[in-house]
Amino acid sequence: MQNRISSFAPLIDDQSEIIILGSIPGVKSLEKQQYYAHPQNKFWKIIFELLHEEFTEDYPERIQTLKKYHIALWDVIDSCERKGSLDSEIRNEEANQIGELLEKHPNVKAVFCNGGKSYKNLQKLLGKNYRLPVILLPSTSPLHTVSFEQKLEGWKKILDFLK
């Protein structure tokens, strides 16, 4: 098995109103030290489309756009062993302290999970009847082979929780 990998620090501030949780960064994201860095991952295209913002490849601008709309990002898994980028290859995982983070940021009113792995792990962490809505979104990963339009439609749920 490969060396242990770790997630990034959460991107969150006191104005954050929703948080989007992935599982743990893939190989390309770890190389670039950027959330959702794989060029085939549709996360950034979906976010910019939903927010009616002009798409950019510039990572600091992407982060500023999330902040502008009070969107936080993090991962459910703090560290694990994984060969490649597949969630199915994750072994010996340790969880991030999601509950503690949410307690420190009371403005967050909903939690969204980018794909099934983060959703299942979060339910184990927080329980099925957590005080905030926990909503499963279609994975933006290129391995989740539904169309961009279907993914975008599923992700429209976040708009209900943004001003």
Side-chain angles (χ1 to χ4, degrees):
M1 192 48 81
Q2 298 284 28
N3 291 336
R4 198 151 188 89
I5 60 170
S6 298
S7 68
F8 305 138
L11 295 175
I12 193 166
D13 61 30
D14 291 339
Q15 276 66 57
S16 297
E17 295 178 351
I18 68 168
I19 187 167
I20 300 169
L21 299 171
S23 55
I24 194 163
V27 171
K28 186 62 83 178
S29 293
L30 291 167
E31 281 174 13
K32 290 189 161 196
Q33 289 295 292
Q34 297 177 1
Y35 281 99
Y36 303 104
H38 192 288
Q40 300 300 306
N41 192 300
K42 299 301 182 202
F43 176 82
W44 293 111
K45 288 197 183 307
I46 287 171
I47 291 294
F48 279 78
E49 180 88 15
L50 287 176
L51 301 175
H52 304 288
E53 291 282 344
E54 188 173 335
F55 183 77
T56 179
E57 297 280 347
D58 184 81
Y59 189 69
E61 285 182 35
R62 289 174 168 184
I63 300 310
Q64 282 309 117
T65 300
L66 292 179
K67 286 184 177 187
K68 174 181 171 184
Y69 288 93
H70 312 292
I71 300 170
L73 277 186
W74 206 18
D75 290 304
V76 176
I77 299 170
D78 175 54
S79 68
C80 67
E81 295 171 6
R82 184 186 63 207
K83 186 167 77 176
S85 293
L86 296 176
D87 282 353
S88 61
E89 293 293 324
I90 291 172
R91 304 286 182 266
N92 301 318
E93 60 199 73
E94 291 183 21
N96 269 321
Q97 300 300 312
I98 307 293
E100 287 179 21
L101 183 80
L102 294 172
E103 292 301 319
K104 291 178 187 169
H105 294 89
N107 281 351
V108 173
K109 53 192 173 197
V111 180
F112 293 89
C113 295
N114 186 352
K117 177 70 173 170
S118 64
Y119 184 74
K120 287 177 194 150
N121 282 36
L122 190 64
Q123 285 196 315
K124 286 182 207 167
L125 278 176
L126 301 180
K128 293 188 185 209
N129 297 308
Y130 189 66
R131 63 177 178 84
L132 295 175
V134 176
I135 300 160
L136 171 61
L137 299 173
S139 173
T140 58
S141 165
L143 297 172
H144 184 59
T145 57
V146 302
S147 71
F148 176 81
E149 290 73 23
Q150 287 175 290
K151 290 180 184 187
L152 181 66
E153 190 60 36
W155 276 70
K156 287 181 179 176
K157 296 172 189 168
I158 73 170
L159 298 175
D160 295 337
F161 293 88
L162 299 175
K163 290 179 184 165

